[in-house]
Amino acid sequence: MGQGQSRQEKVTTSLAGAVGEEIGASLAPVDAELARRYPGDPGTRQPVHTVYVPGDVLAADTVRSWGDRALAALDEHAPDAASFAAVLGLSDDLAEPVYTRVRAKLEREPVEDLRVDFEDGYGPRPDAEEDETAARAARLVAEAHARGTAPPYTGIRMKCMEAAVRDRGIRTLDVFLTGLLEHGGLPGGLLLTLPKVTYPEQVTAMVRLLEAFEKARGLEAGRLGFEIQIETSQAILATDGTATVARMIQAAEGRATGLHYGTFDYSACLGVSAAYQASDHPAADHAKAVMQVAAAGTGVRVSDGSTNVLPVGPTERVHDAWRLHYGLTRRALARAYYQGWDMHPGHLPTRYAAVYAFYRESFAAAAERLARYANRTGGDVMDEPATAKALSGHLLRGLDCGALDLAEVTEATGLTRTTLEGYTAPRRGDLTATAR
């Protein structure tokens, strides 16, 4: 036998084939439960933010107006890349690419996810007025989709399932969804938000409500999903010590699409003073960490909350608000909260600046590591399939929001978008790995 050649080993076993068959049979229910409860990420685009607009404020030009106002804020308070970079502390190599992409985004697609608000941002109104506003919102959303001017995701936040406002919330949802059907059908990217959820039974009630609507209008079962807004302490920890939010995901019976953290309601619920109610408060970190663990592998995505410090007034005050918002957004991204709320057009420049800087500054290293993994060329880091999944997911999110271009990603990795998506798809028997 030549040097360096291995001898052929004799393979022997001790267990009868029936042992594996018995174990497989005993674990079949667990296999089915694992597949049902943890299907993995849906692989669709996740918006980087949600913009909330009160129902009575929504207009045909709302999205364009937000983009124009954001551009005007840049023109007034940071008219070039150097001045914007100086405010946010961007490095010289990031200043121009980030600024150019932010302006292009504000011109092309200023809002990624628009939620028409009928809850706190709208408040209590006479029934006839809210009926009219909901019907009008449905028409405007349908017209925007028909014109091709709608953001990728659009929907409403109804009132919650608590007794005092339950009937009003149900009726508003009915008016809005019915109006969409009357104006051409339910659009793609439709998102519904259920606020102030405290008990899993309220989630179950929302499921029954959507089932009834689907049946009444002859829609495909499961067509309507919804986001669960986490705004109360009871939504995180139940009286028996269990994580309520995990039970809520299961109560949604596959219809939950996201968990959205409500910064100010949740903080107030815990007694946090108004001056300290922020998305980086320890109480907020705890809540979002529980949400993140509960949602992992389920296909339900987690969204951070917002800041109520608005970038308005003199330039110095705008710059202070921009730095705060930029820092909070970067902090959230590092913690894998890839979405948040934006409350004012002036937040859009720093939302996109934070997102673009986050993806662009890590692009070269991520692309190199993924290319080495794909080509099995090694390097100074030994990556596993789970890491390849994280690297490809990072690049895909950068592509979806406009931080990266497909041509530069392909050039750096040698991989197509289809190949990148293949790395993020769950592999049978391994929720954290991807097929190579």
Side-chain angles (χ1 to χ4, degrees):
M1 183 176 294
Q3 195 173 24
Q5 292 180 329
S6 61
R7 59 185 293 178
Q8 186 173 4
E9 299 289 346
K10 180 181 179 182
V11 178
T12 59
T13 62
S14 301
L15 296 175
V19 174
E21 294 174 2
E22 291 174 2
I23 291 175
S26 69
L27 289 178
V30 173
D31 294 339
E33 186 80 348
L34 189 64
R36 182 178 71 84
R37 292 185 183 272
Y38 298 99
D41 190 86
T44 54
R45 174 181 178 181
Q46 181 180 10
V48 302
H49 70 169
T50 300
V51 164
Y52 276 74
V53 176
D56 58 328
V57 174
L58 180 69
D61 65 344
T62 290
V63 171
R64 185 61 267 152
S65 174
W66 272 58
D68 291 342
R69 291 167 65 188
L71 286 166
L74 280 178
D75 291 339
E76 181 178 356
H77 303 293
D80 52 45
S83 58
F84 195 48
V87 173
L88 304 181
L90 296 175
S91 61
D92 291 342
D93 60 322
L94 283 176
E96 191 63 45
V98 167
Y99 190 76
T100 300
R101 287 173 184 271
V102 167
R103 291 196 69 97
K105 179 74 168 182
L106 295 175
E107 292 167 355
R108 181 187 73 255
E109 187 183 75
V111 174
E112 292 196 358
D113 181 18
L114 178 67
R115 200 70 70 255
V116 186
D117 192 16
F118 287 91
E119 204 231 355
D120 284 349
Y122 182 74
R125 307 287 182 98
D127 283 340
E129 181 180 344
E130 185 159 338
D131 282 351
E132 173 72 19
T133 305
R136 177 176 169 273
R139 176 178 59 80
L140 290 175
V141 168
E143 290 174 352
H145 278 276
R147 291 193 306 269
T149 59
Y153 297 92
T154 317
I156 67 167
R157 177 170 71 168
M158 59 191 281
K159 289 178 172 63
C160 69
M161 284 291 180
E162 293 178 359
V165 294
R166 182 185 304 140
D167 290 343
R168 182 62 260 180
I170 291 172
R171 182 172 174 84
T172 296
L173 181 66
D174 187 4
V175 170
F176 179 74
L177 292 177
T178 301
L180 288 177
L181 290 174
E182 295 298 318
H183 289 287
L186 301 181
L190 175 65
L191 292 175
L192 309 173
T193 304
L194 180 66
K196 292 183 176 60
V197 183
T198 304
Y199 287 87
E201 289 82 358
Q202 294 168 329
V203 175
T204 300
M206 183 68 168
V207 172
R208 301 287 92 83
L209 174 61
L210 297 181
E211 285 178 343
F213 187 89
E214 289 166 350
K215 183 177 180 181
R217 295 305 301 244
L219 299 175
E220 177 185 1
R223 169 64 178 85
L224 297 168
F226 61 100
E227 302 162 337
I228 301 170
Q229 203 157 9
I230 305 301
E231 302 177 273
T232 67
S233 60
Q234 297 91 339
I236 295 296
L237 190 68
T239 54
D240 61 1
T242 59
T244 316
V245 65
R247 294 165 55 201
M248 288 177 179
I249 292 173
Q250 300 310 315
E253 300 176 20
R255 291 180 185 263
T257 58
L259 300 174
H260 285 231
Y261 176 68
T263 304
F264 305 104
D265 281 288
Y266 187 86
S267 298
C269 182
L270 268 63
V272 178
S273 298
Y276 298 97
Q277 293 177 357
S279 61
D280 59 350
H281 190 280
D285 285 341
H286 172 260
K288 286 179 286 189
V290 174
M291 292 162 58
Q292 190 174 45
V293 173
T298 65
V300 177
R301 289 159 166 172
V302 175
S303 173
D304 197 4
S306 61
T307 174
N308 60 358
V309 179
L310 304 184
V312 296
T315 294
E316 182 179 358
R317 188 178 301 169
V318 170
H319 285 181
D320 287 343
W322 273 353
R323 278 188 285 267
L324 174 65
H325 186 240
Y326 178 86
L328 291 173
T329 303
R330 286 300 305 260
R331 185 180 188 273
L333 289 167
R335 287 158 174 75
Y337 308 134
Y338 299 114
Q339 184 176 354
W341 296 10
D342 287 327
M343 311 297 287
H344 187 274
H347 286 140
L348 299 186
T350 38
R351 170 67 62 183
Y352 292 122
V355 170
Y356 290 173
F358 176 76
Y359 289 112
R360 292 208 66 80
E361 70 184 16
S362 57
F363 167 57
E368 182 182 4
R369 284 182 67 178
L370 187 58
R372 287 184 179 278
Y373 177 86
N375 297 322
R376 303 178 187 273
T377 56
D380 59 354
V381 179
M382 183 177 292
D383 286 326
E384 298 185 355
T387 306
K389 176 181 180 179
L391 291 168
S392 56
H394 182 82
L395 296 178
L396 286 168
R397 284 189 293 272
L399 287 169
D400 285 341
C401 70
L404 305 174
D405 299 323
L406 183 57
E408 65 178 339
V409 171
T410 300
E411 181 179 359
T413 63
L415 304 175
T416 64
R417 180 173 182 117
T418 300
T419 307
L420 291 173
E421 291 171 346
Y423 281 122
T424 63
R427 184 172 63 187
R428 183 177 177 83
D430 186 352
L431 290 174
T432 62
T434 54
R436 292 192 230 180

